[in-house]
Amino acid sequence: MQTPGTTRELSKPKRRGFVFAVIALMIVGVAIAGYFYFSRNHNATIQSIAVMPFVNESGNVDVEYLFGRHD
């Protein structure tokens, strides 16, 4: 004959296993969501580049070769 205490003790390991499984799934879900959230911000790559013409505003003709003028 089983006493109520023994039945309660038999169900505790099953409950603990279920609780641990739920917690583990929640941790995995948060980790996956965090990975996708934070990896999305790091994928910002430059798609184009603009090249601006240089102008020699210093008035020094000795550095004119830096600006591509060959007058």
Side-chain angles (χ1 to χ4, degrees), residues 9-52:
E9 288 178 11
L10 287 175
S11 64
K12 279 186 181 179
K14 290 181 183 178
R15 234 184 306 165
R16 282 186 189 159
F18 179 73
V19 170
F20 286 137
V22 168
I23 291 173
L25 285 174
M26 288 174 61
I27 290 172
V28 169
V30 168
I32 290 172
Y35 172 76
F36 283 114
Y37 177 75
F38 289 114
S39 68
R40 184 173 36 135
N41 295 335
H42 297 296
N43 289 337
T45 58
I46 298 174
Q47 299 294 325
S48 64
I49 187 167
V51 178
M52 304 298 289

